[in-house]
Amino acid sequence: MNYRAIFLIISLVFIFTFGFFVYIRNRRSLINFWYTVFVSFLALWTFGLLMMYLSATAGSKLFWANFLYLVGSLIPSSFFCFSLIFPSDKALPIRKVGLIFLPNFILFILYFFTSLMIRKVVYENGIIKYFVYGPLHLLFDIQVVFFFGWAFWNLYRKYKVSAGRTKMQLRYILVATILGVVLAGTTNVAIPAFLYNCSLAWLGPSFTFPMFSIIAYAIVRYRLMDINVAVTRAGIFLIIYALILGFPLYVGYKTNSWIISTSLAIAFATVGPFVYRSLNRKAEEVLLVKQRRYQTILLKGAKGLMKEHRLDRLLKWIVRAVRKTVGIRYVALFLDDKKNQLFTLKTKEDNGEIPDDLVFSYQHPFIAYMRERKGPFLYEEIPEPIRHSLNIPFEVDIIIPSFIEDKYLGFIILGEKLNREFYSIDDLNVFKILAHQAGLAIENAQLYSELQNETKALKEAIKKLNETQNQLIQSEKMAAVGRLASGIAHELRNPLSIVLQGIEFLENNLVGLDNKSKKAIKSIKNSVDRADNIIIELLKFSGSSKLEFASLELCQLMKDTLSLVENRMHLGRISLVKNFPEKDMQIHADRNMLEQVFFNLYSNAIDAMSEGGQLELNVFPHRHDVVIEIIDTGKGIPTDILPDIFDPFFTTKDVGKGVGLGLSIVCLILERHNGTINVESKVNEGTRFIIKLPRKVENKKEEAIT
Ligand code: ADP
């Protein structure tokens, strides 16, 4: 055993563990897989070298030399495969892989079954001096140069056309691997081939150290393949096992006692795994402390999402929480807009880099690609043509789709971390959970708002239904009372006219009537007149009279009707405010009937303002209607009688003053004009009657005014 072997053992352990951790870090990634294959062949090659040094006989040295060259030929082939799939991570067809490894198979036959490759290993005191090559050995050199050359060319081409992080990753891979290959190639391929000198071959594997160091730097700076954890683990593993193997070997070498060295090795190997595990945990804690912290915060926050029912607030929270806790340049959230078949930008937190009106149609290839992916993915994973079609003016790092079973709700896009670190697999897993929770919460909030809208619509429908029902009841009531009124009126009219005729006969034929009798006769005549007037009212109410519709100017008609009550207003100290539109409103109506409507309403208002006050008349258009407001500052109507005032014969006025038919007649007339009337009132403040009548449309252009 000598320093060369120790050196090789350390290299072997380091290379092997490095490859192993890269692989287990992300087993799904083909990039990691092919990189590990490449590194494993490096490890095997180192193992071959070690065995060649350790083997005692010429025969076994020759066997390991053949093994060495065979594995050596597998290194460029596997690196070539890696160069084909980086960074796209797309699977290689089996046939292609077979074709790439075919030369290795041929070399395998040539090395192990013929002496056309290596004839002899020449060594002195166990140390290899040189190989005696066969005539076909050049094939090995050609194969190495060919595959490494082609692989570098592949990576270089990609390097040229790529941008951002991918470009940096490619640069580091290229520089590191070229350095390793050139150095190891010089000592282990070129010098043995041209100078027939293998004395430096033991150095070859160690030249992969700078390669790994440079890649490690790339990992830290540009998070290549998410293996910074892998490097730490490999480093710790290497140190511990270098001690476990190296120290006993060294002691054995110095003391020349295999018993001491073996017992030391056994003792170290027993405690090794425990030391490794505890050191590893500590290292990861230190290394990932920040990451773990925000991951915990996010997961805790995700649990509380369901409590928020308001969608806009929920979306804002998600975006802000992710951006703040992780420390990201920007976060933007898109939601499915089924009506327009789009994904629209709903909420974002950025520095102004994301356009507000960003949308993706269902047909966009990016959306189609995302539908295939069920979890978060890196921007680099998107196939190049789709990435190209995205055509967005800002850099995207991660896309997190949000699904509930097969329903696609939306997605979140993230920019780079502020500390320029890369997103790890752990991050993606946390985002996956968060996206799922957010999806549930978003769906919950959407259902909640739908439910609220439906409740609102239902309430409105019930209100409308009540109104219609009331109107129906009212008009039914009116119709019944109308029929009754017209029957009674006709029946009363005849006896009344007989009474009147009789009285007039008595008045004319009785001579020498004293004043008392004359007064009595006058009072009977007055009462009969009043009864006759009521009958006229009743007949009007019966609605039997025919309407004569004509085009009318509403405000003018209202003004004309005012003249009938002008005197009363003056006497009652009632002022008038008119808010009429400049251009009069045209309606299609029966003039006499409408006059009666306004007369009744004016009269009621005047009656209500026995102490004086103000009568306000407002007229304005609304959609296809004209709205008329008649507002007084009178005594108002108590809430408990408000529903009754439109009922026939409902009155609060003294006997002889009111019959209680005024508002019923108003209702009836408006109904026959397809109009409506509503009332609002406050005791001691006043009353507002609101009438709506259909507007007569003069020309089509002026249809709806809002
Ligand atoms: P009448 O005027 O004969 O009483 P109406 O049908 O016109 O019959 O009115 C019914 C009742 O409605 C009135 O007695 C009165 O109590 C109430 N009313 C109507 N208009 C007003 C008003 N502007 N201010 C206060 N009360 C009113």
Side-chain angles (χ1 to χ4, degrees), residues 604-605 608 632 636-637 645 650-653 658-663 687 689:
N604 280 344
D632 65 59
I637 308 166
I645 60 167
F650 177 87
T651 181
T652 56
K653 293 174 189 166
V659 189
L661 282 175
L663 286 180
T687 306
F689 282 95

Side-chain angles (χ1 to χ4, degrees), residues 286-306:
V286 174
L287 209 73
L288 302 174
V289 65
K290 247 184 21 221
Q291 220 169 337
R292 291 273 145 83
R293 193 177 54 88
Y294 70 66
Q295 285 169 354
T296 325
I297 294 176
L298 279 185
L299 288 178
K300 269 196 194 142
K303 278 189 200 143
L305 283 179
M306 296 296 277

Side-chain angles (χ1 to χ4, degrees), residues 600-601 603-609 630 632 634-638 641 644-653 657-666 681 686-689:
N600 286 350
L601 293 169
S603 295
N604 280 344
I606 294 166
D607 285 345
M609 294 187 281
I630 295 163
D632 65 59
K635 61 181 183 194
I637 308 166
I641 65 161
D644 306 324
I645 60 167
F646 295 103
D647 282 353
F649 302 112
F650 177 87
T651 181
T652 56
K653 293 174 189 166
K657 269 206 151 180
V659 189
L661 282 175
L663 286 180
S664 321
I665 290 169
V666 167
S681 186
T687 306
R688 174 199 300 256
F689 282 95

Side-chain angles (χ1 to χ4, degrees), residues 123-398:
Y123 60 100
E124 217 179 86
N125 297 333
I127 296 163
I128 315 290
K129 286 276 175 225
Y130 58 90
F131 299 118
V132 180
Y133 295 117
L136 287 185
H137 196 263
L138 204 60
L139 281 180
F140 170 83
D141 300 328
I142 293 171
Q143 194 265 354
V144 169
V145 172
F146 178 77
F147 277 113
F148 264 129
W150 196 351
F152 288 141
W153 174 241
N154 276 340
L155 293 173
Y156 179 71
R157 260 192 354 223
K158 288 181 195 176
Y159 168 74
K160 272 276 168 205
V161 294
S162 61
R165 189 189 332 149
T166 316
K167 198 177 187 84
M168 294 319 286
Q169 291 176 340
L170 280 164
R171 179 188 293 177
Y172 280 98
I173 293 173
L174 268 170
V175 170
T177 327
I178 288 176
L179 196 73
V181 166
V182 167
L183 289 175
T186 312
T187 53
N188 294 53
V189 181
I191 299 179
F194 300 111
L195 302 177
Y196 299 105
N197 184 348
C198 290
S199 56
L200 290 175
W202 61 277
L203 271 174
S206 61
F207 288 135
T208 57
F209 287 180
M211 178 171 107
F212 290 130
S213 316
I214 293 172
I215 292 179
Y217 172 71
I219 292 158
V220 176
R221 181 91 213 273
Y222 294 99
R223 191 67 72 85
L224 185 73
M225 295 179 276
D226 185 37
I227 44 176
N228 64 344
V229 178
V231 172
T232 325
R233 285 185 188 164
I236 295 170
F237 197 83
L238 170 76
I239 293 165
I240 291 175
Y241 281 87
L243 278 175
I244 290 171
L245 295 173
F247 188 68
L249 283 174
Y250 178 76
V251 173
Y253 174 68
K254 280 277 171 207
T255 57
N256 246 339
S257 152
W258 66 269
I259 298 182
I260 297 177
S261 70
T262 314
S263 18
L264 263 177
I266 291 171
F268 278 26
T270 320
V271 293
F274 300 105
V275 180
Y276 166 71
R277 228 190 283 162
S278 97
L279 273 181
N280 192 38
R281 216 183 22 241
K282 290 238 158 63
E284 278 190 27
E285 268 169 23
V286 174
L287 209 73
L288 302 174
V289 65
K290 247 184 21 221
Q291 220 169 337
R292 291 273 145 83
R293 193 177 54 88
Y294 70 66
Q295 285 169 354
T296 325
I297 294 176
L298 279 185
L299 288 178
K300 269 196 194 142
K303 278 189 200 143
L305 283 179
M306 296 296 277
K307 287 192 200 123
E308 181 59 71
H309 293 313
R310 293 238 324 258
L311 187 63
D312 50 341
R313 286 232 300 253
L314 177 74
L315 300 182
K316 268 233 143 62
W317 187 91
I318 296 171
V319 166
R320 186 160 302 162
V322 173
R323 187 177 187 228
K324 282 267 148 65
T325 44
V326 186
I328 304 178
R329 197 158 296 278
Y330 71 80
V331 176
L333 190 148
F334 293 76
L335 271 198
D336 188 0
D337 172 4
K338 284 203 186 62
K339 214 167 76 197
N340 298 314
Q341 307 252 302
L342 288 174
F343 282 92
T344 34
L345 176 62
K346 277 281 165 197
T347 320
K348 60 166 186 164
E349 287 242 337
D350 63 344
N351 301 317
E353 55 265 76
I354 303 177
D356 292 328
D357 51 357
L358 198 59
V359 291
F360 294 99
S361 80
Y362 278 7
Q363 283 76 36
H364 198 290
F366 169 65
I367 298 296
Y369 174 76
M370 196 157 35
R371 282 184 198 280
E372 285 169 24
R373 305 283 310 232
K374 291 265 164 168
F377 55 95
L378 302 174
Y379 178 72
E380 276 85 12
E381 293 178 60
I382 307 172
E384 173 52 33
I386 299 177
R387 224 183 306 161
H388 193 72
S389 74
L390 267 173
N391 197 18
I392 37 179
F394 50 89
E395 270 195 31
V396 181
D397 268 40
I398 304 265

Side-chain angles (χ1 to χ4, degrees), residues 554-555 581 585-587 618-628 691-696:
L554 177 71
C555 299
M585 306 255 79
Q586 294 285 326
I587 54 166
N618 298 329
V619 174
F620 54 89
H622 178 68
R623 293 176 185 262
H624 295 287
D625 294 331
V626 53
V627 179
I628 304 141
I691 296 172
K692 271 188 192 163
L693 278 171
R695 226 151 37 94
K696 184 169 177 264

